[in-house]
Amino acid sequence: MWSLLYALGQTGLAVAADAGGMAMVLGRTLQRLGPPRGDSRELVRALKRYGEESLPIVALTAAFTGMIMVVQGATYVQQYGVYNLVGRYTGFTTFREVGPMLIGLMFSGRVGAHHTSELATMRMTEELDALRVLAIDVYETLILPRILAMVVGMAALVVFGDLIAIGAGAVCARLMLQVEYAQFFQALLEHLGPMDFLIGVQKGLAYGLVIGVVSTHYGLNAKGGSAGVGRAVNAQVVASAVALFWVDYLMTSVVR
Amino acid sequence: MVPISASVFFLRPLASLGRWGQWGGRQVQAVLRLGGAVLRNLPHAEPAAIWQQARDLGNRSMFFVVVVMAFVGAIMVVQASMQAQRIVGDLSIIGPGFMQLLVREFAPTIVALMIAARYGAGVAAALGAMQVTEQVDALRLCSAEPISYLVVPRVLGGLTSMPAIVVVGGAVAFVSGGLAGHFGFGIGWTSYFRTGFVVPSDVAIGFCKAAAFGVAVPLVSSWAGLSARGGARGVGQATTRAVIGSSVAVLFLDLVFGAAGYVAQRW
């Protein structure tokens, strides 16, 4: 009984410490924004490495997402004969919820993990301390450009991913349910407005910021050799997933 | 002769698509080869090691899975209720419909994605650290087969405890969805907590998915860990590959089982 209470308290303290650390990272990053002080070359590099090079994996994920949405609804569509709604529900679920979320999870697994392990390695090898000795601000040279790149890159990837998911969903609906492409896209355009698409993009922006802040926090606070790098990456992926679902919940219940 | 512009705009993307395809094919081949080795080494599995891994995957992910699935349940019920209010105005089928979707689709898939993030990354970090410090080669020197010692318990442990944690996650999501529906949209308790829509084939599909994910996530993560090369950086890369690889495997298997279930239900 007491040990359970003790464990709960320990967990609570750890969660509070991590939340505080992330708030510090966010604050320090925002502080560098006015007036903007960041390395623009690092920004371009990060945009290419985090955004462009994530495109294959995001395209693959998005294609699966679109097809899974159609497959899941197929039973109901056949049961009720609502072939004219396939485009509508596929677009709605993909644009608003599932597309940004799955792309965000992949992004945190690839980009967030990379950022964390790089910062953690720099901390282990005392590169971060060396930078401080040289009076180089690691937030200006590394963190702000990369978090910006994550925000922009994530939103752009959501736009690309949504289009790919819808394309794959249309092909899947044609093959499985014999829904013509014209009917699929007509249902999509008739029932969905630009807001449905933009809410997803807005979520992409928020998820990019969340992943950037979480991965920076765990990278800067890694401890204990090369096993510590692995632990930091692991903790980052877990915390990002919880934070993404939490932000998703907030945005869903606020933007309705 | 092909004009320059055509080669730039058409052939180059095609070439890189082909390269990605070849690369992906090689990775899949390596994972399947590891799977074959696991099958050959199945008789040598130690029950104690399997339970250890099952505990690692299931019990120690419990807090994480419960938190995430609570959010998932609330998000989905809020979204579905908004849609239902706009179209039909009838919120009584939200509960049973959500239950069916959870059993068939969302509980196995989202829990498996979370396990891929927590357990898969941990497996890759542990095995990757062993690989780059040559502990795996040391095992081989002691004539202990690394695959039966390291990979088989993880795969069997995953097969054991993934279905269990999927059930827990699904239950949490259903309850939290019920709370969100009751306090956000005034759905009555008795009209929400019904399981009438779920038919045996839904349970069968959900269970098959959970079992398949339980094998796939440890297998892909072990492969990522064992193929780590080159110091701390290599361990970090292995973790990334484990999370991405097992998530893609989960989505792919989800699609395959979903389509198979649809075809099976039609006949």
Side-chain angles (χ1 to χ4, degrees), chain A residues 62-87:
Chain A
F64 281 138
T65 310
M67 291 193 276
I68 288 171
M69 285 303 122
V70 172
V71 168
Q72 282 310 316
T75 328
Y76 303 105
V77 169
Q78 261 207 334
Q79 216 171 336
Y80 301 109
V82 283
Y83 291 94
N84 54 339
L85 285 184
V86 179

Side-chain angles (χ1 to χ4, degrees), chain B residues 156-189:
Chain B
L156 290 181
L159 184 61
T160 322
S161 67
M162 185 70 95
I165 192 136
V166 164
V167 171
V168 173
V172 169
F174 191 57
V175 171
S176 86
L179 293 175
H182 183 77
F183 292 112
F185 296 88
I187 303 176
W189 298 119

Side-chain angles (χ1 to χ4, degrees), chain A residues 21-44:
Chain A
M22 289 170 205
M24 293 294 284
V25 169
L26 181 63
R28 287 185 180 144
T29 309
L30 292 179
Q31 203 185 344
R32 267 60 172 193
L33 269 180
R37 281 167 298 179
D39 189 342
S40 57
R41 270 173 309 176
E42 175 65 24
L43 176 64
V44 173

Side-chain angles (χ1 to χ4, degrees), chain B residues 116-141:
Chain B
R118 206 205 72 86
Y119 178 75
V123 166
L127 295 192
M130 289 182 75
Q131 176 74 38
V132 298
T133 52
E134 295 171 2
Q135 292 177 53
V136 176
D137 298 326
L139 274 180
R140 208 169 275 137
L141 271 183

Side-chain angles (χ1 to χ4, degrees), chain B residues 46-62:
Chain B
E46 285 175 42
I50 297 174
W51 284 120
Q52 171 71 39
Q53 292 301 327
R55 199 182 141 77
D56 221 35
L57 185 149
N59 300 31
R60 299 185 56 192
S61 306
M62 196 71 85

Side-chain angles (χ1 to χ4, degrees), chain A residues 56-57 68 71-72 74-76 78 88 92 97 102 106 109 176-177 234 237-238 242 245-246 249 256, chain B residues 20 64 68 71-72 74 79 82-83 100 104-105 113 117-118 122 185 209 240 244 247 254 258 262 265-266:
Chain A
I57 187 69
I68 288 171
V71 168
Q72 282 310 316
T75 328
Y76 303 105
Q78 261 207 334
R88 175 183 183 172
F92 184 84
E97 280 299 332
L102 283 181
M106 286 295 172
M176 265 180 81
L177 297 164
N234 203 341
V237 181
V238 170
V242 172
F245 281 106
W246 180 63
Y249 174 70
R256 62 186 190 189
Chain B
W20 293 337
F64 175 48
V68 166
F71 283 126
V72 169
Q79 287 280 18
M82 275 159 53
Q83 280 300 293
Q100 188 187 19
R104 260 188 13 186
E105 166 70 14
L113 288 175
R118 206 205 72 86
F185 296 88
K209 278 184 182 175
T240 310
I244 298 287
S247 306
D254 186 29
Y262 170 76
Q265 275 180 341
R266 265 182 86 182

